[in-house]
């Protein structure tokens, strides 16, 4: 067989097959189009499924992280509330201590002022006693001028020579008495 025969045979086979294959291709064109569309849709669905699985995995990871953060937030909130309560208790105790100190200070100040008033009153009474004592000593000294000594005296009556010209000072004694509210009766002898 020669080459021309082979080429002729091949040409004939190809000629017979080509119209049949072309007709078959033309006959199944709609079905091929639908198959291509289905393959495209399947590829898109596979891509969408892969995206969905990726998103669902991301969602699961996010959800786990969110739950962990939520638990941590709850623990921190509980701890914060406990610390706030402890701080409030400490603050209440501190405020109570301050109130107690203020009350104690007020009581001590009141007591001290009372003691000071009593001391001032006692000092005034002491001054008054000293003043009265001084007045009494002056009166005694004044009265001693009227007492006679044993050598000069005639049974308790003052000597006339010694007291001659001397006047009993009633006015001075009355001023001293009214000044200090001290009542001492001074009796002057008629024999002066």
């Amino acid at each position: 067989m020669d080459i021309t025969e082979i080429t002729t045979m091949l040409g004939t086979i190809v000629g017979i097959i080509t119209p049949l294959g072309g007709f078959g291709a033309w006959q199944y064109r709609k079905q091929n189009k639908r198959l291509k569309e289905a393959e495209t849709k399947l590829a898109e669905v596979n891509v969408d499924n892969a995206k969905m699985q990726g998103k669902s995995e991301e969602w699961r990871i996010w959800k786990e992280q969110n739950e962990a953060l939520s638990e941590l937030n709850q623990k921190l909130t509980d701890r914060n509330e406990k610390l706030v309560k402890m701080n409030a208790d400490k603050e209440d105790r501190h405020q109570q201590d301050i109130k107690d100190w203020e009350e104690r200070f007020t009581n001590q100040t009141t007591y001290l002022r009372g003691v000071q008033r009593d001391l001032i009153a006692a000092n005034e009474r002491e001054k008054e006693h000293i003043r009265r004592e001084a007045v009494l000593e002056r009166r005694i000294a004044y009265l001693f001028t009227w007492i006679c000594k044993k050598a000069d005296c005639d049974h308790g009556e003052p000597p006339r020579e010694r007291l001659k010209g001397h006047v009993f000072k009633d006015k001075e004694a009355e001023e001293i008495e009214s000044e200090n509210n001290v009542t001492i009766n001074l009796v002057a002898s008629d024999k002066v």
Side-chain angles (χ1 to χ4, degrees), residues 79-183:
R79 183 169 182 235
N80 190 24
E81 288 175 358
K82 184 187 284 185
L83 290 174
V84 165
K85 186 177 179 185
M86 286 173 45
N87 192 22
D89 291 343
K90 286 180 183 177
E91 184 66 24
D92 289 344
R93 279 187 267 130
H94 182 65
Q95 289 296 327
Q96 187 61 40
D97 289 345
I98 290 174
K99 286 179 184 176
D100 293 344
W101 294 336
E102 287 175 351
E103 184 178 338
R104 192 175 79 201
F105 178 76
T106 304
N107 291 342
Q108 289 174 348
T109 304
T110 304
Y111 176 74
L112 182 61
R113 286 183 181 156
V115 169
Q116 287 174 340
R117 278 193 295 274
D118 293 344
L119 181 63
I120 290 170
N123 283 341
E124 290 298 320
R125 285 193 305 269
E126 182 67 23
K127 287 179 187 176
E128 184 65 29
H129 288 301
I130 290 171
R131 233 180 279 134
R132 286 182 183 178
E133 187 177 330
V135 168
L136 291 174
E137 285 177 0
R138 277 187 285 162
R139 285 187 178 178
I140 290 171
Y142 179 75
L143 291 174
F144 272 135
T145 60
W146 289 92
I147 295 176
C148 57
K149 298 178 181 164
K150 281 190 178 181
D152 296 326
C153 202
D154 213 7
H155 300 292
E157 296 176 2
R160 292 183 186 262
E161 298 92 32
R162 187 166 58 102
L163 297 176
K164 196 172 190 181
H166 198 276
V167 181
F168 181 71
K169 300 177 184 175
D170 268 340
K171 197 172 196 180
E172 182 180 309
E174 287 173 9
E175 286 175 5
I176 292 171
E177 285 177 18
S178 64
E179 180 181 299
N180 294 310
N181 297 328
V182 176
T183 308

Side-chain angles (χ1 to χ4, degrees), residues 21-42:
F23 176 73
W26 181 79
Q27 185 181 7
Y28 294 111
R29 71 178 166 15
K30 289 183 181 179
Q31 186 176 353
N32 287 339
K33 186 178 177 184
R34 279 188 237 132
L35 283 173
K36 284 183 183 179
E37 286 176 2
E39 286 175 0
T40 307
K41 285 184 181 179
L42 182 63

Side-chain angles (χ1 to χ4, degrees), residues 7-65:
T7 49
T8 307
M9 261 174 55
L10 277 173
T12 309
I13 293 175
V14 168
I16 292 171
I17 294 177
T18 302
L20 288 175
F23 176 73
W26 181 79
Q27 185 181 7
Y28 294 111
R29 71 178 166 15
K30 289 183 181 179
Q31 186 176 353
N32 287 339
K33 186 178 177 184
R34 279 188 237 132
L35 283 173
K36 284 183 183 179
E37 286 176 2
E39 286 175 0
T40 307
K41 285 184 181 179
L42 182 63
E44 288 176 4
V45 167
N46 287 339
V47 168
D48 287 343
N49 281 340
K51 285 181 182 177
M52 293 266 293
Q53 286 177 352
K55 293 285 183 185
S56 68
E57 183 65 25
E58 288 176 10
W59 174 258
R60 185 186 61 77
I61 291 170
W62 179 83
K63 187 176 178 184
E64 288 175 0
Q65 289 175 346

